[in-house]
Amino acid sequence: MVGRVRFNFTNSYAQLPERFYARLVPSSLSGARLVKLNSRLAEELGLDPAELASKEGIEILAGNRVAAGSEPLAMAYAGHQFGYFVRQLGDGRTNLLGEVIGRDGVRSDIQLKGSGPTPFSRNGDGRAALGPVLREYIVSEAMAALGVPTTRALAVVTTGQSVVRETVVPGAVLTRVAASHLRVGTFQFFLAQGDVDGIRTLADYTIGRHYPEAAQARHPYRALLHGVIQRQARLVAQWMLLGFIHGVMNTDNTSISGETIDYGPCAFMEEYDPRKVFSSIDHQGRYAYSNQPNAMHWNLTRLAETLLPLLVKEEGSDEAGLASAHHALEKFGLHFEAARNAGMRQKLGLTTEYGEDIALADDLLKRMAENDVDYTLTFRRLCDAAAMTDGDQGVRTLFANPADYDAWEKTWRLRLTKESISPQDRATQMRQANPAFIPRNHLVEAVLRAAIDRQDFQPFEDLLDVLACPYDDRPSMDRYSIPAGPEEYVSKTFCGT
Ligand code: AMP
Ligand code: MG
């Protein structure tokens, strides 16, 4: 039977050599139910929300039926997990349905997560639990609204089957949208096999899809490496500025397109502490908040290693190839600092650049850490302080010792006198850099509990609604902007895979 749901798939990855992936057959669970559809994203992708919500659409989103034009596959990849290399990981529970060209002309992957076993499942069941699926939906959509490059969430269906984790929980499938699912680990897969042809094919594919300007460069592979490094440096700077902790920055979770990918035990920090770790499996703090730039540099070094055979050829000698890789990696810190410092200036309401600005920012952060203040709320209330010279009350009361804030405030106000912008305009601009609403861990937990324990998805909808406009003041939504009380505080997060 020919289906009525139109995706207009145009699949480029499925044209690559067979060793890049494994083809998949549909699973055959019954009882799938659509619990969330991102209609706005569907429309941006040129998809019809009504078609996706139809009986046939839900079967497609559950992985039970193959849509017209879809060539379902699981991608092969390797990866360093917490520093240990695994030669073969691959999509163990995801299904790349295909690619669509959105209204903006951009190509996106449409992928199901939790749709059943694949040849890469190893000991896993190929499934996903409702809790982590809703979590990824909430956090990835929040990140998009915050302006951070990220994979998106298109739909959630419950499968009608349970999955066994620590307890028995409802199974679900997330439909994820990404610029692509190419990872550092995809390149590592071919290096581990000594397959230089595979690396070259993958690099050429990547340039065509994500870095077309590199194709015009005199050294295209060098330009590719520079491009990935620049995008990832900027991405991590954005995470840092928002207090976001990814939690599992393994090389298989590091995208080549520069998007945030794989929302597992990620979390937004509440009380500011650079050493903060949430993930229950990150015992050494490898992916602690302040280690994220280092972790990303380490991952990009692994990417550079995979490109080395191509760089050597391109640059003409072993030494020149190696020097080219080193040179690119050295740029990471510069890109990161530039993005981070520009972002910090914005957060503090500075539109001009003075040498002492970064020390001013770091001094505030130090005082914030000493006073355990809420990261997001401090910067948001600083916008009120910027609007009026006597608007400090809100922010200073967050400090256990308000005198710590007062001392810093004097220097800040002196610095503000060098700016010509009006206080009101400054505050308005600052509010664009300092969100009122982030997916606070206790809010996310409460939403998941309602959905899992009571099949009540209204709290999930309400939270999504607030997070869709994170930079707007909404006085009636105040409870979403304040930190967790002691009894609701979440100190650990879990992958739940
Ligand atoms: P992640 O921690 O989600 O980045 O996954 C790491 C690797 O484990 C990937 O190869 C996944 O496909 C695989 N994996 C995670 N959960 C499952 C599962 N439930 N069944 C099969 N494979 C899984
Ligand atoms: Mg992963």
Side-chain angles (χ1 to χ4, degrees):
M1 190 180 93
V2 178
R4 275 188 298 273
V5 180
R6 290 157 301 173
F7 275 91
N8 301 316
F9 282 117
T10 96
N11 305 327
S12 59
Y13 205 77
Q15 311 308 314
L16 291 173
E18 295 280 335
R19 65 188 190 282
F20 280 58
Y21 49 79
R23 304 248 180 220
L24 297 177
V25 292
S27 91
S28 54
L29 296 184
S30 60
R33 203 166 71 82
L34 183 69
V35 298
K36 181 65 189 172
L37 179 65
N38 190 341
S39 299
R40 225 172 113 184
L41 178 60
E43 279 163 6
E44 287 170 22
L45 293 167
L47 307 177
D48 179 350
E51 287 180 8
L52 293 176
S54 70
K55 203 159 172 281
E56 181 196 330
I58 296 169
E59 288 302 300
I60 293 168
L61 297 175
N64 296 333
R65 183 186 169 123
V66 181
S70 169
E71 298 169 83
L73 58 85
M75 292 168 67
Y77 56 84
H80 275 92
Q81 301 188 306
F82 290 93
Y84 294 98
F85 187 63
V86 185
R87 284 173 62 89
Q88 184 171 307
L89 289 164
D91 288 334
R93 54 166 174 165
T94 58
N95 177 337
L96 178 62
L97 299 185
E99 300 146 29
V100 300
I101 310 288
R103 285 194 177 153
D104 55 3
V106 174
R107 177 182 295 268
S108 295
D109 277 6
I110 309 282
Q111 190 205 55
L112 306 180
K113 184 168 180 176
S115 51
T118 79
F120 302 113
S121 293
R122 295 175 291 160
N123 299 322
D125 59 4
R127 294 284 165 192
L130 178 59
V133 163
L134 294 180
R135 218 174 123 74
E136 173 154 356
Y137 193 112
I138 294 164
V139 186
S140 65
E141 285 304 297
M143 291 287 266
L146 287 163
V148 183
T150 177
T151 60
R152 302 289 306 270
L154 178 63
V156 177
V157 297
T158 47
T159 60
Q161 313 287 316
S162 300
V163 292
V164 182
R165 296 296 182 257
E166 277 93 48
T167 55
V168 177
V169 287
V173 179
L174 175 75
T175 306
R176 178 160 78 177
V177 178
S180 83
H181 286 84
L182 298 171
R183 307 142 190 273
V184 170
T186 319
F187 283 84
Q188 289 181 293
F189 176 79
F190 295 102
L191 184 69
Q193 324 255 341
D195 181 356
V196 176
D197 273 347
I199 298 175
R200 187 176 300 107
T201 303
L202 185 62
D204 291 342
Y205 176 80
T206 305
I207 288 172
R209 188 159 173 185
H210 297 302
Y211 298 90
E213 66 286 356
Q216 314 304 323
R218 225 155 67 85
H219 298 94
Y221 301 123
R222 185 206 286 182
L224 167 64
L225 182 59
H226 277 269
V228 180
I229 287 172
Q230 180 166 35
R231 285 192 204 173
Q232 283 293 353
R234 288 178 178 166
L235 178 69
V236 177
Q238 280 189 283
W239 294 354
M240 301 299 283
L241 290 163
L242 288 166
F244 176 77
I245 304 172
H246 182 284
V248 241
M249 293 177 65
N250 294 331
T251 57
D252 55 305
N253 295 337
T254 302
S255 94
I256 295 294
S257 74
E259 290 183 331
T260 313
I261 188 169
D262 264 5
Y263 292 87
C266 60
F268 281 80
M269 184 161 59
E270 293 208 296
E271 77 285 359
Y272 178 66
D273 174 2
R275 294 159 307 175
K276 194 79 187 170
V277 177
F278 282 95
S279 169
S280 59
I281 55 170
D282 189 1
H283 306 296
Q284 318 275 324
R286 182 181 174 93
Y287 302 134
Y289 172 76
S290 60
N291 273 353
Q292 297 187 116
N294 284 336
M296 185 55 78
H297 184 269
W298 194 91
N299 291 350
L300 293 167
T301 307
R302 306 287 81 75
L303 175 67
E305 282 165 2
T306 71
L307 294 177
L308 212 45
L310 310 185
L311 295 172
V312 163
K313 189 120 191 264
E314 192 176 68
E315 309 284 349
S317 72
D318 285 2
E319 294 72 36
L322 202 58
S324 171
H326 275 298
H327 177 68
L329 288 164
E330 271 169 20
K331 287 271 177 77
F332 176 85
L334 299 177
H335 291 309
F336 173 77
E337 288 298 327
R340 189 261 180 187
N341 293 348
M344 264 301 164
R345 281 198 173 89
Q346 243 183 315
K347 286 178 89 69
L348 296 181
L350 309 178
T351 53
T352 55
E353 288 185 24
Y354 285 84
E356 74 262 22
D357 296 348
I358 303 315
L360 182 71
D362 290 340
D363 183 36
L364 175 61
L365 291 172
K366 184 173 138 279
R367 291 163 191 267
M368 286 168 62
E370 285 161 4
N371 283 271
D372 284 338
V373 294
D374 185 82
Y375 182 82
T376 305
L377 201 54
T378 300
F379 282 106
R380 186 68 181 185
R381 291 198 177 164
L382 196 62
C383 307
D384 303 331
M388 292 166 293
T389 38
D390 60 351
D392 293 286
Q393 205 42 32
V395 54
R396 79 186 289 279
T397 53
L398 295 175
F399 287 69
N401 178 14
D404 283 350
Y405 170 77
D406 296 339
W408 179 82
E409 186 230 341
K410 283 203 184 61
T411 326
W412 178 53
R413 293 227 179 258
L414 199 62
R415 171 65 183 83
L416 291 184
T417 60
K418 297 182 186 170
E419 304 271 323
S420 53
I421 184 171
S422 80
Q424 280 306 331
D425 288 349
R426 175 184 301 130
T428 304
Q429 286 190 14
M430 283 173 73
R431 290 196 182 98
Q432 296 306 305
N434 296 310
F437 302 107
I438 49 158
R440 291 182 180 274
N441 306 314
H442 68 291
L443 299 174
V444 175
E445 283 309 309
V447 159
L448 303 192
R449 289 267 60 93
I452 297 163
D453 300 342
R454 306 192 294 280
Q455 292 76 53
D456 178 4
F457 288 84
Q458 195 54 47
F460 169 67
E461 295 289 346
D462 294 344
L463 182 59
L464 288 178
D465 180 55
V466 172
L467 295 173
C469 303
Y471 297 107
D472 292 356
D473 271 325
R474 290 172 78 179
S476 65
M477 297 296 172
D478 254 3
R479 81 174 187 85
Y480 289 96
S481 70
I482 53 178
E487 68 294 338
E488 39 182 20
Y489 185 79
V490 176
S491 59
K492 283 250 173 298
T493 51
F494 302 87
C495 298
T497 53

